Structure formats: structure tokens, C-alpha cells
Amino acid sequence: MRVAVIGASGYTGAEALRLIVGHPYLEVGPLVGRQHAGKPISEVLPHLTGLVDDIVQPLDIRAIKAEADLVVSALPHGASAEIVASLRDEGLPVFDLSADFRLEDRDVYRTWYGDHGAPQWFGRSVYGLVELYRERLREADLVAVPGCYPTASILALAPLISEKVVDPKGIVVDAKSGVSGAGRGASEATHFPHAAEGIKAYKVAGQHRHTPEIEQELSKLAGTPLALTFTPHLAPMTRGILATAYAMATAPRPADSQNECILAAQRFYASSPSVVVLDPGQNPDTRAVRGSNRAHLAYHFDPRTGRVIAQAAIDNLIKGAAGQAIQCINVRFGWDEADGLSGPAVWP
Amino acid sequence: MRVAVIGASGYTGAEALRLIVGHPYLEVGPLVGRQHAGKPISEVLPHLTGLVDDIVQPLDIRAIKAEADLVVSALPHGASAEIVASLRDEGLPVFDLSADFRLEDRDVYRTWYGDHGAPQWFGRSVYGLVELYRERLREADLVAVPGCYPTASILALAPLISEKVVDPKGIVVDAKSGVSGAGRGASEATHFPHAAEGIKAYKVAGQHRHTPEIEQELSKLAGTPLALTFTPHLAPMTRGILATAYAMATAPRPADSQNECILAAQRFYASSPSVVVLDPGQNPDTRAVRGSNRAHLAYHFDPRTGRVIAQAAIDNLIKGAAGQAIQCINVRFGWDEADGLSGPAVWP
Amino acid sequence: MRVAVIGASGYTGAEALRLIVGHPYLEVGPLVGRQHAGKPISEVLPHLTGLVDDIVQPLDIRAIKAEADLVVSALPHGASAEIVASLRDEGLPVFDLSADFRLEDRDVYRTWYGDHGAPQWFGRSVYGLVELYRERLREADLVAVPGCYPTASILALAPLISEKVVDPKGIVVDAKSGVSGAGRGASEATHFPHAAEGIKAYKVAGQHRHTPEIEQELSKLAGTPLALTFTPHLAPMTRGILATAYAMATAPRPADSQNECILAAQRFYASSPSVVVLDPGQNPDTRAVRGSNRAHLAYHFDPRTGRVIAQAAIDNLIKGAAGQAIQCINVRFGWDEADGLSGPAVWP
Amino acid sequence: MRVAVIGASGYTGAEALRLIVGHPYLEVGPLVGRQHAGKPISEVLPHLTGLVDDIVQPLDIRAIKAEADLVVSALPHGASAEIVASLRDEGLPVFDLSADFRLEDRDVYRTWYGDHGAPQWFGRSVYGLVELYRERLREADLVAVPGCYPTASILALAPLISEKVVDPKGIVVDAKSGVSGAGRGASEATHFPHAAEGIKAYKVAGQHRHTPEIEQELSKLAGTPLALTFTPHLAPMTRGILATAYAMATAPRPADSQNECILAAQRFYASSPSVVVLDPGQNPDTRAVRGSNRAHLAYHFDPRTGRVIAQAAIDNLIKGAAGQAIQCINVRFGWDEADGLSGPAVWP
């Protein structure tokens, strides 16, 4: 099947391309980009030189319809909604990496992102976290692939909240991201001398747009609305997200709370090939998932404070973006969930 | 005055040396080291080539007594207590960078570190955080200079707890450290390919030995015993600590809780030249304090969850170690607190 | 076919494992290691958790003979020769990543490495640089896979020397390596604070053991003995080698010397899928080959000095080690040279 | 004396400010900037928060004349010439960090930079490398402070060429720079994911504008025009330049060529407090000079090829820019050359 990639020259587009090239059932279809239209993609993505030399195309919905069987869209939110709607109107299955179809409540969308560009399609997507929505994704034609922070945060906490091992109130998520999470556009904050050799928080105190997405999914699992404190940090590395989440154990039993968490996670992810629950005492390392579609999870319990510390490490561009889209495609088309995604991390 | 530096070839010893060289009233006295005794110090500390060429001496208490007016001791805990005691027995003022004299409760010391090497001196030290103990330090001859994590954590939270702006229960401190905090000894964890380009937590769930030190000082400020969750992370940078602390506001008043925190901190640190309270909306950056003895603090309030986010950034080897020792020396000998410490960070 | 990996817990062993897991015709056979024998490999290689859980075995030549069809040996030089000889005595094809069988002249070997551990096998290997020895490798059962520096240096210079575009005398190779090239063992030089955020040369002035290997291969291409100046540098990155080579053009013709070099390289590597010759004006970037088995080459000519600047970028652990071994295996067993090696780099 | 800093918000301006603040005889005068005029400087330079809060001023030559005794100008080339001329016309001593007054030959300037903005002042400057022009700088009122690459390259080679230990023909300089050398402006090339974790050459084959500056100064020392091959590389670090230079020994005498080089350098820099000639066998490390005004030099001889390898490491923003300007000011005003510049590097 041929995959059109919209926004092919950005980081998630590039990573989608890399994964499509290595996938047993997918082929590279039209590569769409605005800024670099007319150039060979390898001029913009230097690692593809000699491997993929397709010319970047300007956006043309009909051409995509003619040449592609499905679409991975890696546009910024806002710009995405309308184009995704046009592709859906043509009947194309769309796996959208933007935030435009992730939220279920339009008021919440409006609060965080403003007016929606395709209200007629709002609410008709499936949230593309395979570990939570595997069944619904088998028939989904509009998939809202989660952001990188929500993927790490939700994966770490979902089993605990779902199995009521922790209190859904009072959760704190302290997340550390590599700089590629900010996208390809150069800025003052991502200029090497400002992003290397130090660490800094940003959008502190509930200002980051991924907050409502995390809360939406965890609230559904909790069966009750939930608000949490989310603090993103920019760490001096290119790839990787580590989410360190803090929640109160519902019944602090020092002797076995850690095991209870680990068992809950093992059950929850029993049929999820992308998730690895680490042994007691281990901590996830972003280096151990870099270049892979895997999430490494770990659980600790602090008997002195009754608090559970849940951690998740992912590669923000893969399990936090392009790999997740491919995982959804695999599920949607009935292939093995891990097809094209089974490679280990590139370590060290 | 001549300063003996014990453990001169380690990172904190090296940094103490650098600061002594630039200090108006201090001179480099005997440099003591075990592993490198007999070598010129510049062979071990390459940045001192042509600047300080003193020979590293084996430990000799009498020689130190003869040649030095005071001592900065940068030995590991355990090894430190006995030597510090011998120096004190000779009447030398000692500024000890180990953990051996930081705790006030011997049972707590035993739990975390084992038997104490000089019980007769236990309890006779002053905790070397000038911002909390300025008056007592004026007459202190045994100063227990705080560790790097406690310095950042306590500085961020002290004003809030002292002024009861936050609840002392339920505090979480998520801290990120540069790799120099692990000291000069090479190890699997600090081998470049394992420490670069990724981030990882360690000693999770109350296992880090700095936890009781943080709790001791904050409990005293709170007037009631306090336990908190402390999670250290190793970030891919050489220097810097960022502590991101989470606490519930006592009376969440969305309109002014952030300002209340900032004002509390401004009052608390009004006469502290090493502490900078950032303007609302700013976040501390370890790069902006690197190479300096400054702490940058910031406060945010999340009205959705009622939580205060307090942050502190320091250079772990300076304000978190050697610079702090010099600051204590300045106070002890009646000099300006910032003498030899006023230089801005080396940015970027 | 089942591959035994000797030295599986080191970096090149680990990378060999990753590539075998993803190869269409290879399977993981016995994993041999001394230090970690008895442990599951995933305990030592965290990225393999949940993917490869085989137990590391102590060395047992008969067991290897019984369970494996071929061997990738990733032992240090010296330790390697005897073991490789035993494996060959059993008739097993061996792809040796050590330096023990790379040199053709025993005196040269002795000068740089000391006495050889298996003189009866000395001289019976084929140098495992597919781009130079493709035909001979089709029947080779003892393959001496080149080191990382020689791979980059030889690939950059081979076409120029072979086609006499440059003078074989007076060549300088200034090479920059990632720290993983030093192997997994922690040391003072690879301790993060000493290896990060700065750059340094080492083994300057012909002291590096890869020098004779580079000279051997280039001398054969030149048809005359050649000595060059080789300077390795340790750059603050985990993976990658960039070799910047300087040679005098034989007939400086400003108008077309650059093109002559590029054309020579394109001809030389016409049937080499792992080598990409970049367009005029481009420079190789180690990031664009990281995680792949590709070499990116570029050629410039400085008309003011008559000098050609030839550059090559590779991933030191793949095209400079484990990937190269797999490439040799592919050729040896008649598969497509790029089988299991065609994935693009993981960029950025 | 009060120093006006023009271009105060850039990296070299910032570093000049830091050094002025710590200088015994200098005070911060007007801070001039275009982009940030009207803001407190600490808003743009976060490390100065609470230390320097002066408001950035738009350029006003008369105001500078009224408030400053001398000027450090950190403007880009082209923009600099005219403004420097106006300042000189007012009689102010100017220490110019741009390239506008470094070249002595107007045709060469035109070739590399285009038309000159103040031809009447062309040729009336002194090149601000104290180690070469100490005497002339004592009376200089227009000082052209050298660029970072020339400082490292010239310091490494000057003694060898001056004392004819090496052949001035056929020199190669392979230089590695930290990213701060590209200045504060964000760009595709300096975007963290493109500048971290890899290395790359740029402006290869005599295209870099620092080439003529290096050649000019070395030609003067050689007494004959000299052309060399200069290749800059961008290394994944914020600060530091390492220049690795290759030259043929004039009379290769294996037994003592290295010593001859070292002795030549020791003689040449006997009264230069900023230059350290390392012992035989050592290699300069950019980390050992970071944050300081020092240059570390080393010399090796490769008897197999007759080639000398000369290396220099500096902090590009200090000895390669702002520190060098202060060093010139010290000499110009008769102070100790090391005043305000004697601090060791911030290591590690």
C-alpha cells in the first residue's frame, strides 16, 4: 500500500519515511511539503541521499487520492484540520500527527487551540494510542496520533489508574524531552548554545497544550474527571522523552505496592509488543529506546511518603510520533502490530 | 589566610582551588591528596597548568597545622569524619564538604551512612547554608557544607515553608543533575556513551542519601517533621542542578499565589547576594548560573490543581559545593559574603 | 544460518546482535562473553530487554561448533588470535573484528601489537572491506574486518590513489571519532565530564595502531609504499567518525579537479550500495549516517594550494565495525550485499 | 575607565561585559544594541540578572563620547567599519572585534568581504594579537582584534615559522570550533538537533574568510607570501577551538624535532602570560581553557613522515574574541597584561 506523507521534510515526516522504507507492506507514495516543494527529498533529509530521491510535491488532494492508499499527515495543529478533512472527504484513511483531532471536547479544543478548522469531522476520530484503543483502531479511518508527552505520560499511568492502584487526584508529571520535540524550525530556544549543556523547564503550571490530552485519557480510565500538574523540560539531547510521574498509592502497603504496580502494568500491556515493563529496581533510560518504537516503563514505591513513582521512556519521534502512526496503520490493516517496528533501539 | 585543600584533585577540590586563586584574602596552602601525592597538581588538573604548580602532599595533620590557617576538606563521607576531627583537635577551622557533619540526628546518620567516625564531634557543626545560618556561621569552626541537591531543593522551598505559603506535607522534588555531581571517578554509569544523549533517574523512591538532609532543614523551617519524595536524575551535561519542586498552596488564591511565593522568596533572600529570584513567568536555566556561585529561583502557581511549582538552578560544583564553602569562609572571617564569588556565570 | 557472537556484551557485539535480529537470513546463535557469562544478555544490553533474552555463555569452542554456522568475533586484539584459530580449526567461518588478522606483514604486526597468538593462520585472511575485496570475500572463511578509522580513511582516499588523481606522498588524515570507538570500558578519558563539551587529539604523530592498516591498503592501491600522518581526535558524541584527508592533486587543474575526484569516486563505488558520493559543495555529516551502514564521501579542491580535501563520514560501530562484518557475511554467502543493512540513518 | 560595548547582547559582547565587570580598572559604560535597545541587558543575557541591569541603548556616537573612555565594538563585519570610523573621528580608542580592520591589503579585503565602509581608516589599525604586536599595541587607538580561528592557528604556528623550524609551504590547518563561534543568531545549521551529537566540516577548500587573515600574519613571520589549506569544522560543544596544524619540518631530525618546536614556542611566548606550552606528549584540551583567556599549545613530530603537528586550544569567545580585546586594552593602557584575565578555566 502506498502512503502519502504530508509534511515530509519535518522530523516526524522524515521518521515516517524511514519507517515506511523498512516496512514489509508499505511503500513511499507522494511526499508533500510546502517549503521545499520541487526539491528532491534527499536535499532536505540528508540521511536519505541515494535511498529516496522523490521530489517533494505541493499539496494536491486529487493527486494524493490518485497515487496513495492512505495518508500520514505531519502538519502543525491548525493547519492540519482542513487538509485532513479534505482527504477524508475523498475517502482516504488519514493518520494525523497533529493535535487537531485528539481532543473530544470542543470547548477544551477552543480553550487551548482556538477555532477548529473542520468542525464537521471533530469527534469522529479514534485516539491513536494502540495500547488503549486497539479494537476501535481496527476500523478507524481518522486516527489522531497522540503527542509525545501524552504517550509517555499515559503509558506510565494508565495501568495504575485503570486498576485503581493510585489516587487519580494530585498526580504530578515531570517530563524531560529531547530538543527534536520542538520540531525542525530553528529558534532562540533551540539554538545549540542555548539548548546544550544545561536543562530548563518551560510552559510551567499547566500551560503546555499536551496537558488536556493527558487529562482526557486518564480521566476516562479513572471514570472521573482528573486534573494533574504537568511540567515539561528541555533536556540537552536530540531524541527521547522521560516522564517521571508521581501519584499517591490508594492503600500504601510498603511490602508489596511496587509489585502491585508492576503486575498491574504487566497485565495491562500483556498483548502490547511495544511496551516493556522493567524489573523491580530498574529505571528507564531514553538511550535504551532511542531509534525504536518501544516504551520502557518502571514502577517504584516510596513507603516513607506513600507515593508511587511511575516512569516511561520513549523516543519522541517514534513511539511518540511516526512509529505510533505506523503502529496504528498496522492495526488498521490487520497486520502484525509490530510489522516494520520490531527493531531494537540503536544503543549506545 | 592560607587554605589547605584536602582532596584537591577531585572536582570540588579543583573548584575550591580555582576560587581561592581568585579570592582577595585567601591563598593556596597545602594541597592534600592520596592518589596523586607527589605530583604537581597541574598534572591532575589540566586547567591549572602554568598557574598552580604546587606538589600534592600526603595527609599530615601537623604539616597542615603548620602551614594553613583553615581547611577546606573535600573527602568522601566516612573517610572524612576522623580526619576532620583531627584537624579540629588541632584547632583548625574546617569547612567540610562531606556529609559527615550535616545531619543532626545520629540515628538518621547511622541509617543512611553507618557508624560515624568521630562521634565526639557529631552535633558540633553548623550547617553551611549561609542563607539559613548566616549568624551562626560567623562563629563556626566546624562547618558542614551542604550537598548539591539539598542546596537547590532547600533554597527553592525554604521561603514557602518558612512563611507557610505551602503545605509541608506531600512535597515532591524532581531534580536533574549534571554528571560532575558523581565525582571524578570513572564508572559504567558515567562512561560517556552511557551518560550522553539521554536522561535517566536513579536511586528512586527515597533511596538517595541527600533526602534526610533536605528533610532535616525543611522540617526545622516548618516546625514539624516532614517527609518528601526526592527523585534525582542524571542529565547529559557536565555541570548544573535544576530542582523542580511541587507543593500544595495552603490557600489557593489563583489571583495572587504566584506573587505571594515570589514576595516570600524576595523577603527571605533580601540580604543574600547569591540568590536571584526571577520575575514572574521566567524559568531558571542551569546555563545561566554555570561557573558562578548564584542560585536562580522561580515560582509558578497552577490554579487548576492548587499546586506551587518552585524551581532552583545552581552550579553543583560551586553554589552546590566549593563556592558555598568559600561563602561560609567569607561569613566566618567577617568579609563580604560575595568576596571572590561575585563573577557572573560563563554564558553561554 | 545461526551466528555465534563472541564478545556479545561490548558495543560492536551489541550492534552485531541488533543487525542479526533484523537480518532476513541470519539468526542469533550462542552469545559468548567472559565477564557477563551466566546473565541474560538483556541485563547487559538494556535495549534488548524483551527482545533477546539468551543467556551469555562462557567460551566453549565445541558448543559453538555444535550450535553455530558462522562466528562474529568481537574480542580485543591479542585475545582474539588464538580463539579465532581454534574456531577456524573447527572449520567455522570467522568474521573477526579485532586487529589480529588485518596486517599482512608480520614484522609490522609485531611492531604495533607484539607477538601474534596464532602465527599459523597469519596471512590467510581476507581484509573485510567489501568495497576493495568483494571478489575475494566470496570465498573467504577468515575475514579480518577493518577498524573504524581505516574504513573511513581508506574509503575517502582509495579512488583518488587508485586512479592517481592525488600524490600518494604527503597525505594527512585528520580524524574525529565518537567516544563509543573507545569501547565499553569506563576510563578517565571517557568519563563524561572529561569527554563532553570539548575536543582533544590523542596518539598524535603516528602512534595510533590503525595507521599501518591504512597505509597497507593505500600502498597496495598506489602500487608503492606510502606513509601518511594520521591524527585521531575524540569528539563529544557517542557515534560517528569523520575523516578529513588532505592530499596534493597530481595535476592541479582548478577548473575540474573537484569533478575529477568525484567522478573517480563514483566509478570506484559504482556497485557499492553502502557508499554515497555527495554532490559538489556538500560535506558529509556523521549525523546523516548514524545508525546506518552507509559511508558518505565528499571531495573538494583548493586551487590556491593545489590540495584535494577528501572526507568520509561513517557510523563507527556499523560501517566501521558490526555492519561491515554483516556486509562481508552477505557477500560470503551470496546474498544481496545490503541485506539487513539497507535502513537509512536515524536522523536527526 | 568606562568602556562602551557596542553589540552588547551578542556572545562576544556578553563575554566582554563579564570580563569588564571583573576587571580592576574598567567599568561598564553605555551598552549599545539595535535589536534589544530599550530593554535591560539582563533580559537578554540571563546570567547577568541582578548583576548588570543597564538599559541597552541605541547607537549614539555623541552619547558614547560623553560617557565612555574607550569602546569595544562587537558588530558584524561590514556594519562595523563606518561606526568604528565615527568613533575614531571622535578620538575614542576602539577595540574592534569585527574583521573590518584586520587585513592590510585592500584588494584582499575586497575579494573576501566586498567594499570597505571606511577606506580612510583602512590600514591605520594594529592587529590585536598581543603575542605578536605587544609593542605596537601600547600606542594603538584602532585595534583589530583577531578572529577565533586565526588566533588559534597563528599562535600554534607562529614560533615554528618565525624560527624556520617548519617549511612555510604546504601547511594544513584542520580546525574544530564550538557552535558559539557562529554567533547568537539561530539558523538551520545551529539548530540543536543538527549541531549536537555529530561533526561536520564547512566552507572547505579555502572558502572561510579567516583564511587570508591567517595567511597574512604567517606570511609576515615567514618573510614570504604563504598560502595554506584551512578547514573549519563544527563540533558539538558550545565553546572552544582546537586547531590541529600540519607542517613539514625543515630538517627532520627525529631525535629532537619535537623538542626544537617546544623550545621555539617557549622562547617565543616567554613573556606571554596567556600562552601555555604543554610538556612533550601532552595534547591541548578545549575543556582545560574554557572560560579562560589562555591558549594551550602542543607540538609533536612524526619521524615517519617528517611532519610537525602543532596544536592550539582556546576558548573562542575569550582568547578568540572578548578576552583578547581586554588583553589589548591592558597593554594599551599600561596595565598588567593579565589584569582581569588571570582566572583559570572552569574545569571540568
Side-chain angles (χ1 to χ4, degrees), chain D residues 148-159:
Chain D
C148 48
Y149 282 127
T151 299
S153 306
I154 296 168
L155 288 178
L157 288 163

PDB file of all heavy atoms in Angstrom, chain D residues 148-159:
ATOM      1  N   CYS D 148      38.598  34.109  15.972  1.00  0.00           N
ATOM      2  CA  CYS D 148      38.905  32.963  16.828  1.00  0.00           C
ATOM      3  C   CYS D 148      39.782  31.940  16.108  1.00  0.00           C
ATOM      4  O   CYS D 148      40.754  31.444  16.672  1.00  0.00           O
ATOM      5  CB  CYS D 148      37.623  32.337  17.333  1.00  0.00           C
ATOM      6  SG  CYS D 148      36.368  32.047  16.078  1.00  0.00           S
ATOM      7  N   TYR D 149      39.450  31.609  14.865  1.00  0.00           N
ATOM      8  CA  TYR D 149      40.277  30.649  14.131  1.00  0.00           C
ATOM      9  C   TYR D 149      41.702  31.177  13.925  1.00  0.00           C
ATOM     10  O   TYR D 149      42.669  30.449  14.155  1.00  0.00           O
ATOM     11  CB  TYR D 149      39.658  30.331  12.773  1.00  0.00           C
ATOM     12  CG  TYR D 149      38.488  29.366  12.798  1.00  0.00           C
ATOM     13  CD1 TYR D 149      37.279  29.689  12.205  1.00  0.00           C
ATOM     14  CD2 TYR D 149      38.599  28.104  13.391  1.00  0.00           C
ATOM     15  CE1 TYR D 149      36.207  28.801  12.200  1.00  0.00           C
ATOM     16  CE2 TYR D 149      37.541  27.215  13.390  1.00  0.00           C
ATOM     17  CZ  TYR D 149      36.344  27.565  12.788  1.00  0.00           C
ATOM     18  OH  TYR D 149      35.298  26.679  12.776  1.00  0.00           O
ATOM     19  N   PRO D 150      41.861  32.452  13.483  1.00  0.00           N
ATOM     20  CA  PRO D 150      43.235  32.946  13.326  1.00  0.00           C
ATOM     21  C   PRO D 150      44.025  32.935  14.625  1.00  0.00           C
ATOM     22  O   PRO D 150      45.216  32.604  14.633  1.00  0.00           O
ATOM     23  CB  PRO D 150      43.026  34.376  12.812  1.00  0.00           C
ATOM     24  CG  PRO D 150      41.723  34.313  12.079  1.00  0.00           C
ATOM     25  CD  PRO D 150      40.877  33.368  12.889  1.00  0.00           C
ATOM     26  N   THR D 151      43.379  33.281  15.743  1.00  0.00           N
ATOM     27  CA  THR D 151      44.122  33.289  16.997  1.00  0.00           C
ATOM     28  C   THR D 151      44.730  31.915  17.272  1.00  0.00           C
ATOM     29  O   THR D 151      45.936  31.788  17.550  1.00  0.00           O
ATOM     30  CB  THR D 151      43.193  33.699  18.165  1.00  0.00           C
ATOM     31  OG1 THR D 151      42.704  35.015  17.903  1.00  0.00           O
ATOM     32  CG2 THR D 151      43.931  33.673  19.495  1.00  0.00           C
ATOM     33  N   ALA D 152      43.899  30.879  17.182  1.00  0.00           N
ATOM     34  CA  ALA D 152      44.411  29.533  17.463  1.00  0.00           C
ATOM     35  C   ALA D 152      45.451  29.120  16.434  1.00  0.00           C
ATOM     36  O   ALA D 152      46.514  28.581  16.772  1.00  0.00           O
ATOM     37  CB  ALA D 152      43.256  28.534  17.490  1.00  0.00           C
ATOM     38  N   SER D 153      45.174  29.366  15.170  1.00  0.00           N
ATOM     39  CA  SER D 153      46.077  28.910  14.100  1.00  0.00           C
ATOM     40  C   SER D 153      47.412  29.630  14.158  1.00  0.00           C
ATOM     41  O   SER D 153      48.479  29.014  14.035  1.00  0.00           O
ATOM     42  CB  SER D 153      45.425  29.139  12.733  1.00  0.00           C
ATOM     43  OG  SER D 153      44.145  28.535  12.676  1.00  0.00           O
ATOM     44  N   ILE D 154      47.356  30.943  14.335  1.00  0.00           N
ATOM     45  CA  ILE D 154      48.595  31.724  14.338  1.00  0.00           C
ATOM     46  C   ILE D 154      49.423  31.401  15.575  1.00  0.00           C
ATOM     47  O   ILE D 154      50.640  31.206  15.488  1.00  0.00           O
ATOM     48  CB  ILE D 154      48.286  33.238  14.255  1.00  0.00           C
ATOM     49  CG1 ILE D 154      47.597  33.565  12.926  1.00  0.00           C
ATOM     50  CG2 ILE D 154      49.565  34.066  14.427  1.00  0.00           C
ATOM     51  CD1 ILE D 154      46.992  34.958  12.877  1.00  0.00           C
ATOM     52  N   LEU D 155      48.770  31.325  16.743  1.00  0.00           N
ATOM     53  CA  LEU D 155      49.537  31.030  17.956  1.00  0.00           C
ATOM     54  C   LEU D 155      50.270  29.695  17.834  1.00  0.00           C
ATOM     55  O   LEU D 155      51.412  29.556  18.260  1.00  0.00           O
ATOM     56  CB  LEU D 155      48.621  31.020  19.187  1.00  0.00           C
ATOM     57  CG  LEU D 155      48.109  32.388  19.661  1.00  0.00           C
ATOM     58  CD1 LEU D 155      47.170  32.205  20.851  1.00  0.00           C
ATOM     59  CD2 LEU D 155      49.258  33.333  20.040  1.00  0.00           C
ATOM     60  N   ALA D 156      49.612  28.697  17.241  1.00  0.00           N
ATOM     61  CA  ALA D 156      50.256  27.384  17.116  1.00  0.00           C
ATOM     62  C   ALA D 156      51.459  27.441  16.182  1.00  0.00           C
ATOM     63  O   ALA D 156      52.496  26.823  16.440  1.00  0.00           O
ATOM     64  CB  ALA D 156      49.242  26.354  16.607  1.00  0.00           C
ATOM     65  N   LEU D 157      51.336  28.180  15.098  1.00  0.00           N
ATOM     66  CA  LEU D 157      52.353  28.119  14.044  1.00  0.00           C
ATOM     67  C   LEU D 157      53.405  29.219  14.113  1.00  0.00           C
ATOM     68  O   LEU D 157      54.516  29.054  13.572  1.00  0.00           O
ATOM     69  CB  LEU D 157      51.667  28.160  12.669  1.00  0.00           C
ATOM     70  CG  LEU D 157      50.911  26.875  12.299  1.00  0.00           C
ATOM     71  CD1 LEU D 157      49.933  27.121  11.153  1.00  0.00           C
ATOM     72  CD2 LEU D 157      51.897  25.755  11.929  1.00  0.00           C
ATOM     73  N   ALA D 158      53.093  30.332  14.749  1.00  0.00           N
ATOM     74  CA  ALA D 158      53.998  31.483  14.700  1.00  0.00           C
ATOM     75  C   ALA D 158      55.438  31.157  15.097  1.00  0.00           C
ATOM     76  O   ALA D 158      56.383  31.508  14.363  1.00  0.00           O
ATOM     77  CB  ALA D 158      53.435  32.619  15.560  1.00  0.00           C
ATOM     78  N   PRO D 159      55.640  30.460  16.214  1.00  0.00           N
ATOM     79  CA  PRO D 159      57.047  30.217  16.597  1.00  0.00           C
ATOM     80  C   PRO D 159      57.783  29.350  15.584  1.00  0.00           C
ATOM     81  O   PRO D 159      58.969  29.561  15.317  1.00  0.00           O
ATOM     82  CB  PRO D 159      56.936  29.469  17.933  1.00  0.00           C
ATOM     83  CG  PRO D 159      55.526  29.616  18.389  1.00  0.00           C
ATOM     84  CD  PRO D 159      54.692  29.902  17.196  1.00  0.00           C
TER      85      PRO D 159
END
